[in-house]
Amino acid sequence: MWRWLHPYAKPEATYRLNQKLLPWFAVPGILLLVIGMVWALLFAPADYQQGESYRIIFVHVPAAFWSMGFYMGMAIAALSAVVWQIRTAEWAILAIAPIGAVLTFISLFTGAVWGKPMWGTWWEWDARLTAQLILFFLYLGVLALYAAFEDERTGAKAAGILTLIGTVNIPIIHYSVYWWNTLHQQSTISKAITRLEKPSMAPEMLWPLVVCIFAFMLVASALVLLRLNNEILKREVRRPWAQAELLEEKH
Amino acid sequence: MQFDSFSSFIAMGGYGMYVWSSMLVTFIGLGALAIEAKWVRRTLKREAQAQQARAQRIQRAKRASTQ
Amino acid sequence: MTPAVSIRTHMKALIQRDLRVAMRQRSDLLNPIIFLLVVVTLFPLGVGPEMNMLARIAPGVIWVSALLSALLGLERLFRDDFRDGALEQMLLMPLAVEWAVLAKIAVHWLLTAVPLLVLAPLLALLLNLPGEAWGALWLSLLLGTPVLSSIGAVGVALTVSLNKGGALLSLLLLPLLIPLLIFATAAVETAANGLSPAGPLALMGAITVLAVVLSPYAVHAALRVSVN
């Protein structure tokens, strides 16, 4: 059943597959991103309560959504790296981690900027914001652990184990943070905002949001493919196939 | 179209600063990742070129010494 | 094939050895506890000596200080054994490595948590924690410290081969310990408000069981990476 996957443990095969897949992610990704942003910024109606400020949602939600999604992708790569010792999977961890960290940062920044006009404060210890901040720390931990090792193979393996430990912990952290937030409900503003978001979105707002979520997935995946191929070439730069691949490029 | 003029589009109903700074940070973040990937690829290409040049030099030197 | 020596004898020998080694460096054991006392003393000086406020922040202060002081002495868990090669021996023992790891965690817990448990009433006294909450504080420390030792062991196992592990260790471990902090302080706070702390304490118990059962496996995997 898994035999078809086996060749992709070979770096060259993975590289070729990634090169083939790249345009299928990058082109529709950028296209959808442009469509989604134009739709979101120009055509979606203003929110009757939040006015135009709610348009931040069209970058905030996709970034937050995929910051978690890409952690799960990183966890799958880490599992393959730790259990089956697949080297390409180790490099995939390193390819995904910075992208996940940037997505988490984007969601935190846009969340804070959205909070200022809505809640009157840049930072609210809202459960979702807090959980996101902890996710950011987890990403930073993985990157820092990898960077601390001189031997990059050891570093990648250690980062993989840490990723898996984080995966076990994420549900516990989420649950505890939400629980903690309901325990300390002094802030009425934060309650107001969660109540405000409860009613389902109007379709003319929901559709551009769906487009943006898809676009972020495609663009971020294209970035993962680019970075993964760079990681592969970094290790294989002395091999003939990698030399040929790098030298035949035009620009 | 929700906005009747370009200036009202920029103003975003008074929230322009918040909306546009969010967009800016988002696209700087994603753009930086893409540019970094391009840079790494370029350094790798230079490395490959340097290696190729070195291999050719060695071959030339070998040929010269056998003659 | 039955092993010549049982798991219990192995564990006992390991625990005795670790205790003996630790007793040779008593300052290593005392320093985190003194650090904890000093940090707790700093808070009234920093935020003012008003008794009501101290009582309100006491659970958080005691627990955050306990976390920080636990990080301080954590490296000792595997560092010396890594340097003198005893760790490699441990990985080669005719005993599942997980048991040996569990023995080390148990020793670490005995050496760091027991002094903390003895000291807890003094800390509660210094910060004017209401009398009703003392029991909850003590129980939360009793349930929480095994988590500190076992999750800490994973972090140390990952970073033991690095020379500059200290700050990195905190970056790795503190996010993972957040649930513990949340439930522990919640237990003490609910008790201080005159309510039953059973709920948060039960959740802490679940975390403790999970951490103690799973972490030896993670430590084993991490040590195999660190000890090449």
Side-chain angles (χ1 to χ4, degrees):
Chain A
M1 176 188 170
W2 293 103
R3 187 157 294 170
W4 63 272
L5 253 177
H6 199 252
Y8 294 107
K10 244 181 77 184
E12 188 184 345
T14 314
Y15 178 88
R16 303 250 179 254
L17 177 73
N18 288 351
Q19 287 298 82
K20 247 182 247 149
L21 286 177
L22 188 56
W24 293 96
F25 282 95
V27 174
I30 291 170
L31 222 68
L32 275 182
L33 196 61
V34 171
I35 294 171
M37 287 314 352
V38 170
W39 193 350
L41 288 171
L42 281 174
F43 295 99
D47 188 80
Y48 75 103
Q49 267 172 318
Q50 304 193 18
E52 312 290 356
S53 76
Y54 95 100
R55 290 180 202 278
I56 293 173
I57 205 176
F58 296 109
V59 288
H60 175 75
V61 167
F65 192 86
W66 292 115
S67 66
M68 193 50 99
F70 277 75
Y71 194 95
M72 288 305 133
M74 195 166 81
I76 292 167
L79 191 71
S80 333
V82 171
V83 176
W84 295 293
Q85 310 274 320
I86 300 172
R87 282 165 74 211
T88 41
E90 286 170 17
W91 303 335
I93 302 172
L94 312 177
I96 298 173
I99 291 164
V102 168
L103 286 175
T104 319
F105 177 78
I106 290 172
S107 76
L108 280 172
F109 181 90
T110 54
V113 167
W114 194 8
K116 182 62 184 165
M118 287 302 108
W119 302 339
T121 163
W122 294 106
W123 184 263
E124 173 79 24
W125 287 98
D126 165 73
R128 274 171 300 180
L129 279 176
T130 312
Q132 203 65 13
L133 185 64
I134 298 168
L135 183 67
F136 188 56
F137 291 150
L138 288 179
Y139 272 120
L140 288 188
V142 170
L143 285 169
L145 185 63
Y146 170 68
F149 282 89
E150 266 170 43
D151 175 45
E152 56 98 18
R153 185 101 210 252
T154 318
K157 279 183 184 164
I161 292 174
L162 184 67
T163 307
L164 288 179
I165 296 166
T167 319
V168 176
N169 258 280
I170 280 179
I172 303 176
I173 292 173
H174 264 252
Y175 172 73
S176 67
V177 168
Y178 278 80
W179 188 84
W180 162 81
N181 195 248
T182 47
L183 190 77
H184 299 257
Q185 19 172 254
Q186 315 101 329
S187 65
T188 45
I189 342 163
S190 133
K191 264 193 289 182
I193 194 85
T194 37
R195 195 157 29 94
L196 202 147
E197 281 174 13
K198 271 278 146 61
S200 56
M201 282 177 87
E204 55 270 34
M205 295 177 184
L206 190 63
W207 280 111
L209 183 61
V210 169
V211 171
C212 284
I213 289 176
F214 260 101
F216 266 65
M217 189 268 279
L218 293 170
V219 168
S221 305
L223 288 170
V224 169
L225 292 178
L226 272 178
R227 288 188 57 94
L228 179 56
N229 272 358
N230 278 343
E231 296 289 335
I232 291 174
L233 286 177
K234 246 185 240 172
R235 273 75 176 192
E236 304 271 299
V237 72
R238 284 165 199 286
R239 298 272 167 83
W241 75 264
Q243 294 247 331
E245 190 63 36
L246 282 165
L247 290 173
E248 77 189 20
E249 252 175 28
K250 279 139 267 152
H251 49 88
Chain B
M1 194 79 85
Q2 287 294 313
F3 301 95
D4 37 20
S5 70
F6 185 70
S7 59
S8 74
F9 175 60
I10 293 297
M12 279 283 160
Y15 296 117
M17 227 265 285
Y18 303 110
V19 174
W20 293 115
S21 64
S22 296
M23 300 293 153
L24 198 70
V25 166
T26 304
F27 289 100
I28 285 178
L30 294 178
L33 285 170
I35 290 169
E36 194 257 3
K38 275 269 170 259
W39 277 349
V40 171
R41 178 96 188 186
R42 212 168 55 194
T43 26
L44 284 169
K45 191 182 173 186
R46 285 208 193 111
E47 210 177 313
Q49 281 166 342
Q51 269 179 37
Q52 191 193 35
R54 185 164 166 272
Q56 283 168 350
R57 258 201 324 277
I58 290 173
Q59 252 179 3
R60 263 202 304 276
K62 268 191 187 155
R63 226 177 292 137
S65 65
T66 48
Q67 272 168 7
Chain C
M1 197 181 84
T2 50
V5 195
S6 73
I7 290 173
R8 185 194 294 233
T9 335
H10 260 300
M11 294 269 284
K12 210 171 137 195
L14 275 171
I15 289 175
Q16 276 173 349
R17 171 199 172 266
D18 278 1
L19 281 175
R20 206 174 303 135
V21 171
M23 281 307 157
R24 292 200 191 119
Q25 308 164 323
R26 291 205 186 85
S27 70
D28 264 14
L29 299 177
L30 273 176
N31 287 349
I33 287 295
I34 299 172
F35 171 82
L36 174 65
L37 258 179
V38 174
V39 171
V40 168
T41 316
L42 287 182
F43 271 91
L45 297 172
V47 300
E50 204 227 316
M51 282 313 214
N52 286 335
M53 170 153 63
L54 286 181
R56 226 183 67 69
I57 63 170
V61 169
I62 293 173
W63 256 98
V64 170
S65 314
L67 281 186
L68 294 178
S69 82
L71 284 174
L72 208 62
L74 209 54
E75 275 192 313
R76 216 196 46 240
L77 203 54
F78 292 121
R79 189 193 52 204
D80 294 341
D81 281 356
F82 175 76
R83 290 211 179 131
D84 63 18
L87 208 57
E88 283 168 54
Q89 299 284 327
M90 194 179 95
L91 290 176
L92 295 172
M93 273 193 321
L95 164 80
V97 179
E98 283 78 13
W99 286 110
V101 169
L102 208 57
K104 291 204 88 76
I105 292 173
V107 172
H108 182 261
W109 182 81
L110 279 176
L111 293 173
T112 56
V114 172
L116 179 60
L117 289 170
V118 173
L119 212 62
L122 177 63
L123 301 178
L125 194 79
L126 282 175
L127 292 174
N128 190 33
L129 189 72
E132 309 89 73
W134 284 34
L137 174 70
W138 204 79
L139 275 177
S140 76
L141 286 170
L142 184 69
L143 283 172
T145 41
V147 182
L148 290 183
S149 295
S150 51
I151 294 190
V154 183
V156 178
L158 281 172
T159 54
V160 71
S161 61
L162 300 167
N163 290 324
K164 52 208 166 177
L168 180 65
L169 192 61
S170 337
L171 173 62
L172 303 186
L173 289 181
L174 288 176
L176 300 177
L177 293 172
I178 284 171
L180 184 68
L181 179 69
I182 288 176
F183 293 131
T185 50
V188 184
E189 272 173 28
T190 45
N193 292 336
L195 301 167
S196 161
L201 283 177
L203 288 165
M204 279 188 81
I207 291 180
T208 312
V209 171
L210 202 68
V212 171
V213 170
L214 289 183
S215 65
Y217 296 95
V219 172
H220 185 191
L223 285 179
R224 267 202 317 229
V225 170
S226 289
V227 182
N228 277 319

